[in-house]
Amino acid sequence: MENTYLAIVLGPLIAAVIAGLFGRQIGRVGAHTITILAVAVSCALSILVLKGQLIDGDPAYNGTVYTWMVTDGVNMEIGFLVDRLTALMMTVVTFVSLMVHVYTIGYMHDDPGYQRFFSYISLFTFAMLMLVMANNFLQLFFGWEAVGVVSYLLIGFWYTRPTAIFANMKAFLVNRVGDFGFLLGIAAIVHFTGSLDYAEVFTQAESMQGRQIEIFDGLPWSGLTVACICLFIGAMGKSAQVPLHVWLPDSMEGPTPISALIHAATMVTAGVFMVARMSPLFEYSEVALSFVLVIGATTALFTGFLGVVQNDIKRVIAYSTLSQLGYMMVALGASAYAAGIFHLGTHAFFKALLFLAAGSVIIGLHHEQDIRRMGGLKKYMPITYWTSLIGSLALIGFPGTAGFFSKDALIEAVHGATRAGSSYAYWCVLLGVFITALYTFRLFFLVFHGAERIDDDARGHLQESPWVVWVPLVMLAIPSLLIGWPTIGPVLFGDFFGAAIFVLPGNDVLGELGQGFHGAWGFLVHGLTSPVLYLAGAGVGVAWFCYLRRPDLPETLRARFAAVHTLLMNKYYADILVEKIIPKGSTGVGTLFWRIGDVVLIDGAAVNGSAKLVGWAAGVIRYMQTGYLYTYAFAMIIGLSALIGWVLWA
């Protein structure tokens, strides 16, 4: 099996190297052919691995591929841990990546960086696979940083645009903040356990709970809690949780396929996967789980509000991604890890679908992205319309769609949680259902229905996108609509993950919820009486009334609640804080230290002061140098007399 795993990982890497280094020689067709073929093979093998784990009963694989070094008894190695959680993530990553690769043929058709783009997205697939297949923290960190580097390259792919360069630098720097915490968490784990290997660390999780560390004198903390919170800070950066969320909306400056591949379905979910993988650690720290719960709930609700006022088609979906990542984190904080991963999987399909559908609209309108300049596209782009409708319904949790099963179960699990912050989290995710439906169908109605606000030149060329664009839409729409039916039972209430996810008996909210589970149809019937359905319906109804029935009403509300609208348009002033206040403040503090420390103390007192002191002392001493022999003889006699007197006295 090790050869199979190597083929899954190395295929996209080899294809990326060939497309990147020999792109001119193999041409455009060669670049997309070899990268698509490599990812398709990885996808097929990943599906076979998942089948082997679930149906054939293959045991989990945990083995070392290559040992890099051993220092102080700590093994630094490359290794794979392939269990059911890993197999699921491998399948999701490679399938979405394959759809994006095919879609890119149409979207990037006229771009001069065609081969380079295919090299980047194939390299990203390799990095993400290394992350999810890791069996140790060293390889996890490698994959973690590798997806960050490729993300940086892809966000700034159009490097001639100042906005793209600013966006990729912002993403890079914000993620460095999170990664610093992540590295501290890994260091804490090595300090307490003496190992980087998952299996060895997990066996010591309970004992770590009793070991303490003093961050501040006289204030001891559980070493496990500190390690888990630091690890989660890394997840806050990678999965864009408040307050490290500010980079993700700006990352829309990259080409649309990137938005689907990295910022909807794969990279941003790395933090969610990491916390689920670390469940044996997090389960022994109530403080860390409450921290995850509150941060996720805050992100789910308050970033959703921002999606209501956005006018860029991709940014609306980007804020939706932020909100849904918050939902996943809430599930993890409630110890409903399976629910969080289930929503990760369903979200990957329908959010990638929505991003790619947005790209189809952008192609049709010659790269127009303002939804206020759209409308009535249903008759021009029917396939894009129907697939967008499926994605939108799945996002709001319409009964029967994949999003309905994952989101409803997630909210019910949070409702059943009893740890600190669970009540706050429940009301956040519940109100977030209404907000999600409002901004989702505001976007849908403004783009596909109502009066046409399209530029005359664009209308003359408006038509459905080519097959390489709409085929991935259809392929993603199918699981967005149907995948919840066969999977909700085994994934949420069965033994789908086996030993891959650990939950203490007292925290098993999904186990309690599963006692009333009677199949997908029973869950659907129960959902028809849930407040979630009515809140989603209310959000759709408000969007219809405000943007189709009374399109004048939003402007009236905007004028009446100008202060709230300004707050939302300025994104709670978080960007101003990150881009202006913190940099200027840190520059001011640095300038102060420079003027006092460098100029006054080091340059003035230490360097120049010591030089002046030596010069002054030399100026005083030089008067003792007369040049007369009798003066020096007299000084020698006096000195010799003093020495003899001291010896005799002693």
Side-chain angles (χ1 to χ4, degrees), residues 491-579:
V491 172
L492 287 188
F493 308 115
D495 192 31
F496 182 92
F497 292 109
I501 289 177
F502 173 76
V503 181
L504 290 172
N507 295 339
D508 193 8
V509 291
L510 284 178
E512 296 180 11
L513 189 63
Q515 294 177 6
F517 178 72
H518 301 292
W521 278 106
F523 192 88
L524 176 65
V525 172
H526 172 75
L528 297 178
T529 62
S530 169
V532 175
L533 176 63
Y534 299 105
L535 284 169
V540 175
V542 170
W544 172 82
F545 185 78
C546 290
Y547 296 100
L548 291 183
R549 183 71 175 176
R550 287 284 306 278
D552 60 304
L553 191 57
E555 188 60 40
T556 303
L557 294 173
R558 187 179 301 115
R560 179 169 298 181
F561 300 101
V564 176
H565 183 262
T566 301
L567 178 66
L568 295 179
M569 287 300 294
N570 284 283
K571 310 164 194 172
Y572 309 119
Y573 299 99
D575 281 356
I576 294 177
L577 178 67
V578 170
E579 296 171 14

Side-chain angles (χ1 to χ4, degrees), residues 1-9 49 53 61 80 82 133:
M1 290 300 292
E2 183 178 305
N3 292 333
T4 301
Y5 304 143
L6 286 172
I8 292 172
V9 170
V49 170
Q53 290 281 329
Y61 175 86
F80 296 143
V82 181
M133 295 173 68

Side-chain angles (χ1 to χ4, degrees), residues 18 75 129 195 312 350 443 467 530 559 595:
I18 294 174
N75 291 337
L129 287 170
S195 177
D312 184 293
F350 61 72
L443 172 69
W467 72 269
S530 169
R595 292 189 182 280

Side-chain angles (χ1 to χ4, degrees), residues 324-533:
Q324 297 306 305
L325 288 168
Y327 273 86
M328 298 173 206
M329 289 298 184
V330 168
L332 301 178
S335 292
Y337 302 97
I341 295 297
F342 188 35
H343 195 54
L344 181 158
T346 60
H347 174 266
F349 296 124
F350 61 72
K351 188 54 62 67
L353 168 60
L354 287 172
F355 267 118
L356 296 186
S360 178
V361 169
I362 293 169
I363 293 172
L365 295 176
H366 294 276
H367 296 279
E368 176 61 67
Q369 295 186 198
D370 193 329
I371 59 177
R372 295 170 296 183
R373 299 193 183 109
M374 300 180 187
L377 295 185
K378 177 183 178 182
K379 65 181 179 182
Y380 298 103
M381 310 181 76
I383 299 176
T384 302
Y385 170 82
W386 287 108
T387 52
S388 295
L389 178 60
I390 291 173
S392 299
L393 291 174
L395 175 57
I396 70 169
F398 185 80
T401 62
F404 164 77
F405 291 109
S406 61
K407 184 181 285 188
D408 263 39
L410 186 156
I411 294 172
E412 287 293 330
V414 174
H415 191 207
T418 56
R419 67 171 41 97
S422 57
S423 296
Y424 167 76
Y426 174 68
W427 287 107
C428 282
V429 295
L430 195 61
L431 182 57
V433 171
F434 172 81
I435 302 301
T436 300
L438 176 59
Y439 65 66
T440 300
F441 274 85
R442 169 182 178 263
L443 172 69
F444 185 78
F445 291 143
L446 286 176
V447 171
F448 293 105
H449 290 277
E452 295 183 9
R453 302 173 299 279
I454 309 169
D455 179 81
D456 290 336
D457 181 60
R459 183 184 288 106
H461 302 88
L462 188 57
Q463 60 181 352
E464 185 58 81
S465 298
W467 72 269
V468 289
V469 172
W470 65 255
V471 166
L473 298 184
V474 174
M475 294 297 292
L476 288 166
I478 293 171
S480 298
L481 190 62
L482 302 176
I483 197 67
W485 289 92
T487 56
I488 181 173
V491 172
L492 287 188
F493 308 115
D495 192 31
F496 182 92
F497 292 109
I501 289 177
F502 173 76
V503 181
L504 290 172
N507 295 339
D508 193 8
V509 291
L510 284 178
E512 296 180 11
L513 189 63
Q515 294 177 6
F517 178 72
H518 301 292
W521 278 106
F523 192 88
L524 176 65
V525 172
H526 172 75
L528 297 178
T529 62
S530 169
V532 175
L533 176 63

Side-chain angles (χ1 to χ4, degrees), residues 31-54:
H32 73 234
T33 299
I34 191 169
T35 52
I36 290 175
L37 181 62
V39 175
V41 170
S42 292
C43 182
L45 292 176
S46 297
I47 293 172
L48 289 176
V49 170
L50 182 62
K51 170 184 172 293
Q53 290 281 329
L54 297 180

Side-chain angles (χ1 to χ4, degrees), residues 59-404:
Y61 175 86
N62 185 9
T64 300
V65 176
Y66 169 72
T67 299
W68 179 37
M69 69 168 69
V70 179
T71 175
D72 293 331
V74 178
N75 291 337
M76 298 185 181
E77 56 193 25
I78 302 298
F80 296 143
L81 170 59
V82 181
D83 53 18
R84 294 182 176 187
L85 175 60
T86 305
L88 177 63
M89 289 297 298
M90 289 163 57
T91 303
V92 170
V93 168
T94 54
F95 178 75
V96 172
S97 179
L98 177 60
M99 294 300 103
V100 170
H101 274 70
V102 174
Y103 177 94
T104 300
I105 297 174
Y107 192 88
M108 302 293 288
H109 182 267
D110 298 321
D111 196 283
Y114 189 86
Q115 293 96 314
R116 178 166 58 94
F117 189 85
F118 273 98
S119 175
Y120 285 172
I121 58 177
S122 188
L123 183 62
F124 171 83
T125 306
F126 157 75
M128 192 66 194
L129 287 170
M130 286 292 285
L131 189 157
V132 300
M133 295 173 68
N135 74 342
N136 63 85
F137 286 94
L138 178 66
Q139 184 176 328
L140 173 69
F141 188 72
F142 166 77
W144 195 270
E145 294 302 311
V147 294
V149 170
V150 183
S151 173
Y152 170 84
L153 295 173
L154 286 168
I155 295 170
F157 181 79
W158 288 321
Y159 53 83
T160 56
R161 299 182 181 180
T163 53
I165 297 303
F166 177 81
N168 75 350
M169 185 59 68
K170 185 176 181 180
F172 186 82
L173 293 177
V174 171
N175 272 277
R176 295 294 69 73
V177 175
D179 291 351
F180 179 67
F182 190 60
L183 195 57
L184 287 177
I186 295 175
I189 287 171
V190 175
H191 171 72
F192 286 118
T193 66
S195 177
L196 287 166
D197 185 77
Y198 289 167
E200 293 183 27
V201 170
F202 293 164
T203 58
Q204 301 183 51
E206 191 171 4
S207 63
M208 283 179 64
Q209 185 183 21
R211 302 185 65 179
Q212 293 185 333
I213 183 173
E214 286 192 10
I215 301 177
F216 304 103
D217 288 339
L219 188 62
W221 278 60
S222 163
L224 182 63
T225 295
V226 171
C228 288
I229 290 178
C230 287
L231 289 175
F232 181 68
I233 290 172
M236 288 169 63
K238 197 69 70 184
S239 294
Q241 298 295 288
V242 170
L244 301 181
H245 67 287
V246 292
W247 67 271
L248 188 120
D250 287 356
S251 69
M252 298 301 109
E253 290 294 333
T256 299
I258 297 167
S259 304
L261 178 63
I262 297 181
H263 306 121
T266 51
M267 190 194 84
V268 291
T269 61
V272 179
F273 164 78
M274 185 272 293
V275 175
R277 173 61 78 197
M278 299 301 143
S279 59
L281 300 179
F282 278 85
E283 276 299 285
Y284 288 104
S285 176
E286 284 288 318
V287 174
L289 286 173
S290 291
F291 185 69
V292 174
L293 190 69
V294 171
I295 292 294
T298 304
T299 304
L301 179 60
F302 289 96
T303 58
F305 283 127
L306 299 179
V308 178
V309 299
Q310 298 299 312
N311 295 311
D312 184 293
I313 187 171
K314 288 170 64 177
R315 284 181 181 263
V316 175
I317 306 173
Y319 280 108
S320 170
T321 298
L322 284 172
S323 181
Q324 297 306 305
L325 288 168
Y327 273 86
M328 298 173 206
M329 289 298 184
V330 168
L332 301 178
S335 292
Y337 302 97
I341 295 297
F342 188 35
H343 195 54
L344 181 158
T346 60
H347 174 266
F349 296 124
F350 61 72
K351 188 54 62 67
L353 168 60
L354 287 172
F355 267 118
L356 296 186
S360 178
V361 169
I362 293 169
I363 293 172
L365 295 176
H366 294 276
H367 296 279
E368 176 61 67
Q369 295 186 198
D370 193 329
I371 59 177
R372 295 170 296 183
R373 299 193 183 109
M374 300 180 187
L377 295 185
K378 177 183 178 182
K379 65 181 179 182
Y380 298 103
M381 310 181 76
I383 299 176
T384 302
Y385 170 82
W386 287 108
T387 52
S388 295
L389 178 60
I390 291 173
S392 299
L393 291 174
L395 175 57
I396 70 169
F398 185 80
T401 62
F404 164 77

